[in-house]
Amino acid sequence: TTAVVSSPDPTVVGQTTTVTATVASVAPGTGTPTGTVTFSFGDGSPSVTAPLAGGQATVTHTSTASGPSTLTATYNGDADYTPSNGSNTQTVNKATTTTALVSSPDPTVAGQSVTLTATVAAVAPGAGTPTGTVTFSFGDGTGSTTATLTGGIATVTHTYTTTSVTPYSLTATYNGDANYTSSSGSDTQTVNKAATSTALVSSPDPSVAGQPVTLTATVAAVAPGAGPPTGTVPVRFGDGTGATTATRAGGIATVTHTYAAASATAYPLTATVAAVAPGAGTPTGTVTFSFGDGTGSTTATLAGGIATVTHTYPAASATASPLTATVAAVAPGAGTPTGTVTVSFGDGTGSTTATLAGGIATVTHTYAAASATAYPLTATYNGGTNFTTSSGSDTQTVNKAATATAVSSTPDPSAAGQAVTVTAAVSALAPGAGTPTGTVTFTFGDGSSSATATLAGGIATVTHTYTTKTGSPFPLTATYNGDASFTTSNGAATHTVNQNLTTTTVTSSPDPSVAGQSVTLRATVSSVGGVPNGKVTFSFGDGTSSVAASLSGGVATVTHTYTTTTGSPFTVTATYGGELSYAASSGTDTQTVNKAATLTTVVAAPNPATTGDRVTVTATVTPVAPGAGTPSGTVTLAIPGRTPQTVALVNGKASASFNPLPKGIYTVTGNYNGDVSFAGSTGLTLLTVA
């Protein structure tokens, strides 16, 4: 008869159970059966065969799926005992789990993308990697998002558009699967106000006394912030009148103002320099102002984050248009000439003919380029029935048009080692028009060399790779170097660099191995933004101490020797600790360790013997490579005609003495019964008794 039991019962997914078969003779038979028992586990895994020792055979098994499974033990019989079967039921419950939630970066600013990562793990004695989905809620009233687990990790991104209830409560709920129970984890996300930039332009500029002027303030979020700012913008006009407050719509606020008189007085220009969150404090140093009118720049020192200069713009502009030709009769002639006037502009473009009205002809003309000297203007009256031809001349001074430069980067934020596209857009400021040409010089704020790119359609682009997040957010600057018709200008922004997410995979070779065999474990840490460095810590799942190894080219390797099969398959874990530019991650694998094969050699002494001699039989049990170590357990020593003796191994050897034998030739056997790490084996020798 064969009886099978398991312990513990019930278990959970990933927990190891010990399965024991007891084989006994049925009366009137007696004695202890030998041989092997084959175990099947009812869960689709391969069957396992183990030797009997004292009528019992034992194996361990780890279930990877929940539910009841039928255990079967089949005794395969030996020369003296018939085969038999036994069965039992093993209950495997779902393993409980824990869910850990983190968000990065934290804190952020309004409009900045946040990555939420949930890590779901089995709680001991459960093991394995949960599957299924995780539902994320963001605490800001937006709908939840569900993501699928990969390697026990689920990730989503979310953008907070307001700071109204910061810090926000984050929740990640693992929804469970067939083998693992649900669980949840929480975290908080702090969202600060995004920094802004304000650009102000006026049109027309220059204007004349009494002419309405439109002033437009464009307010934009500074990266990594995003979205259109709302609220109001107070606009001051610099002519002693009170400020006007305008409401922003889509980030733009517009007011109209009429200057009552031309001015040649000095206007104050104020620059306010502030740290962009999460930075803080008051910047010091100097600010250089350029005025866009061809005069030299002026540098002022910051005090409390503010620098102020005054500048006098001329009351009238030398670039006034339209061009007007007045034709009058010369005394003693009188009357109002009629006909046409032909105007040439002095810039190589074609002339234009206009008809006189009340003795006056008017044309408009746009100069496409500035000139080092004034353009010569000529107006030629073409005469009429009653008036002769005449001509008049003037000059037109055309200065360089002022420009504005805006700089942006994408993706922002990026990860260390990820290529970033930096773009500068250069445009003419009213009343100037046209498309600036020339070059833009970029600086990246990370100590690397600047880069210069050529404008095409007013746009210049370069790529840059930030190799570290130290110093993030980095100040970006784009300096337009000007051309023959457009003045220089600068643009500034910031670029945020976060840690790279990493994945860690671990493999073992050879797998399966045998007890005492050296196993090589290899961890590969990868990232989309370069090759991680640092250390990986390996744990072997057999109760031995973990070992740390350094990455080289993203790979770390250690060797380990499993000395037992108890607990096989072992869970191998490789944990990358991360470093400044790369986030931590971990990976798991399993290592199956089977019993090592053995070789049993038997020696009888004395041999040959004579009748009346006591014979000592010694069995030596050694592992067969690649197995290693010292087998334990028992050896059954036997000589025909004498009662077999089962003796414990000591340092791999077992001996027993037998009473004198009659004359003859005997086959002496030594049957090693195996242990948890080494398989059984049998050796024999011939004994001659004279």
Side-chain angles (χ1 to χ4, degrees), residues 508-515 517-519 568 590-595 626:
S508 57
S509 179
D511 183 16
S513 61
V514 296
Q517 182 178 6
S518 179
V519 177
S568 176
T590 59
Q591 175 67 32
T592 299
V593 180
N594 297 324
K595 291 184 178 183

Side-chain angles (χ1 to χ4, degrees), residues 58 99 185 211 228 253 264 272 282 291 333 369 371 393 451 466 509 522 588 600 603 632 678 681:
T58 301
T99 298
Q211 181 180 8
T272 302
T282 303
F291 306 105
S371 175
S393 62
Y466 289 91
S509 179
R522 175 187 174 97
T588 61
T600 299
V603 175
S632 61
F678 295 94
S681 59

Side-chain angles (χ1 to χ4, degrees), residues 74 389 466 470:
T74 300
T389 61
Y466 289 91
T470 302

